[in-house]
Amino acid sequence: MLNDPIALSDVRRALVIKLRHHGDVLLTSPVFSALQAAAPQLEIDALVYHDTREMLSLHPAISELHTIDRGWKKLGLLGQLRAEWGLFSRLKARRYDLVITLTEHNRGAWLSRWLKPRWSVGPSGPYGRFFKKSFSHRYLQVPGNRRHTIEIHLDALRRIGVYPAAEQRGLTLVPGANAEATLAAKLAERGLQPGRYILVHPTSRWSFKSWPEEKMAALIDALSARGEQVVLSAAPSGEELAMVAEIEKRLARPVASLAGLLSLKELAAAIDHARLYIGVDSVPMHIASAMKTPCVALFGPSGDIEWGPWQVPHRIVSEPVPCRPCGNAGCGGGWQSECLQRIPLERVLVAVDAVLKETQ
């Protein structure tokens, strides 16, 4: 029966699809590791959005990394169709025996039908009859059952008879030699030594996940007063750089900054060489888990059980209010999260001390 566990010995090539944001894509990396461990002969490809590719590029278990460029829509109808057909032709040429999609995106259902693999896996849920009938296997998603997103991804493997060991569930992100070299030069320019600094990434793509600037500045000043080397980082977006500028204006003493100056791979290298990472629920926090860098993470409306640090020494700081995690874009959808704003500086410093003591 198709619903039975599959015979991995009969699988030559597999495609894993994750069409979401950067952090979501990084959290799929254990799927590739665990699948290859179960079937070393297997060639495993990935399909992600082009802008998220660096989350999986250089992953040792991935044979080919295919991407969808959201910019194709700007090419006009004919240009977009040509780009889409080119991607489909490349995927079809790989002759996949197994296709796994890790989101409810209908593109995964269409590809499962068009590529005609012997086996296909997708999430179970209220996604319609077309989606349901597109897969030979569907892994369960239980509403209200709070588990880490990584474990939910791995359920796609469990559904076909692959049960990853704990050591196979770690995140994987490889910065690469080029990123290591360029990052080393940027650290040297600022007189920073690998393994000696604390990296603070105060921003998030979603501002309602960020701690207030005045509290972040007070935290950095407290660390600097203790003699800690602090390095600031942020994405190159105008909103995030403006927040960093506000923090820097409030500092009693300046600190080194790499804000807006790092590629994703360089950021991974910078976090790898930090003795501690401090930030909020954002992609760099997941990168810290991948690089095995101890971290302190501040959580507000998002769920730390589902999205928290993974297999790394850490502390989560959050306010014990009954409404969190709500998953909303701030209280009432107003892009300001009181549960984050209420977190006192003292509790963050206690968390920092606890992690440093644990990892010295």
Side-chain angles (χ1 to χ4, degrees):
M1 295 177 60
L2 285 178
N3 283 329
D4 290 339
I6 71 172
L8 282 180
S9 58
D10 294 336
V11 181
R12 297 169 302 159
R13 292 194 185 94
L15 174 68
V16 178
I17 304 169
K18 184 68 175 184
L19 300 175
R20 282 287 176 84
H21 301 300
H22 292 79
D24 304 276
V25 171
L26 178 55
L27 294 184
T28 68
S29 61
V31 172
F32 300 92
S33 305
L35 189 54
Q36 187 177 66
Q41 85 290 347
L42 184 57
E43 292 183 25
I44 311 169
D45 293 358
L47 173 63
V48 300
Y49 285 126
H50 189 73
D51 60 310
T52 68
R53 68 194 183 282
E54 298 294 18
M55 296 291 95
L56 294 179
S57 64
L58 304 179
H59 191 303
I62 295 177
S63 296
E64 292 190 12
L65 181 58
H66 305 277
T67 66
I68 296 169
D69 193 335
R70 286 182 259 213
W72 289 348
K73 295 179 180 179
K74 300 177 181 178
L75 300 176
L77 180 59
L78 186 58
Q80 184 177 0
L81 286 174
R82 285 174 179 160
E84 294 278 3
W85 180 253
L87 170 65
F88 174 72
S89 299
R90 291 190 293 274
L91 295 176
K92 189 69 173 177
R94 293 291 283 162
R95 300 174 64 88
Y96 296 112
D97 305 294
L98 171 65
V99 170
I100 300 172
T101 183
L102 298 174
T103 63
E104 67 278 9
H105 200 297
N106 265 336
R107 187 187 288 265
W110 280 111
L111 286 173
S112 178
R113 289 172 179 257
W114 290 343
L115 295 175
K116 300 184 184 304
R118 183 173 177 182
W119 296 284
S120 54
V121 186
S124 177
Y127 310 132
R129 182 178 176 83
F130 174 82
F131 191 92
K132 178 180 180 180
K133 296 295 184 181
S134 298
F135 304 97
S136 64
H137 295 68
R138 299 174 74 210
Y139 61 95
L140 296 178
Q141 299 188 99
V142 183
N145 183 8
R146 298 188 65 194
R147 300 165 65 218
H148 201 284
T149 303
I150 290 172
E151 294 289 6
I152 296 173
H153 288 156
L154 291 172
D155 279 347
L157 299 186
R158 297 182 180 107
R159 182 66 186 81
I160 56 175
V162 177
Y163 292 87
E167 63 272 14
Q168 295 166 356
R169 302 179 197 180
L171 290 168
T172 298
L173 198 165
V174 182
N178 288 340
E180 291 283 4
T182 53
L183 185 276
K186 291 174 181 179
L187 292 181
E189 288 174 3
R190 292 158 179 80
L192 299 168
Q193 295 182 350
R196 301 287 298 275
Y197 59 85
I198 294 175
L199 191 142
V200 177
H201 193 102
T203 59
S204 167
R205 175 181 181 178
W206 313 110
S207 60
F208 59 84
K209 293 184 178 182
S210 296
W211 206 31
E213 290 96 335
E214 64 273 15
K215 290 190 174 182
M216 191 61 78
L219 171 64
I220 294 169
D221 276 338
L223 295 173
S224 297
R226 296 179 177 187
E228 298 284 1
Q229 280 192 319
V230 177
V231 180
L232 279 167
S233 66
S237 75
E239 185 177 7
E240 293 193 33
L241 292 179
M243 181 178 180
V244 170
E246 282 298 316
I247 291 170
E248 290 180 310
K249 284 198 307 186
R250 298 169 187 268
L251 294 176
R253 54 180 66 82
V255 298
S257 178
L258 293 168
L261 301 176
L262 301 178
S263 68
L264 282 168
K265 293 291 194 182
E266 289 174 326
L267 177 60
I271 293 173
D272 186 31
H273 293 303
R275 60 192 293 251
L276 178 69
Y277 169 86
I278 302 174
V280 295
D281 175 24
S282 62
V283 176
M285 181 200 70
H286 299 309
I287 292 176
S289 293
M291 309 316 295
K292 303 301 182 188
T293 299
C295 67
V296 171
L298 283 68
F299 269 76
S302 50
D304 47 279
I305 292 176
E306 297 85 350
W307 302 102
W310 181 254
Q311 293 188 350
V312 67
H314 70 275
R315 293 293 186 278
I316 291 170
V317 187
S318 63
E319 275 293 279
V321 294
C323 53
R324 74 160 304 273
C326 65
N328 293 328
C331 298
W335 284 75
Q336 291 191 29
S337 303
E338 289 186 16
C339 56
L340 262 174
Q341 294 170 344
R342 292 179 186 177
I343 295 175
L345 169 64
E346 293 73 20
R347 288 186 55 215
V348 180
L349 287 171
V350 167
V352 168
D353 290 340
V355 176
L356 289 176
K357 182 179 180 181
E358 183 180 321
T359 57
Q360 292 292 16

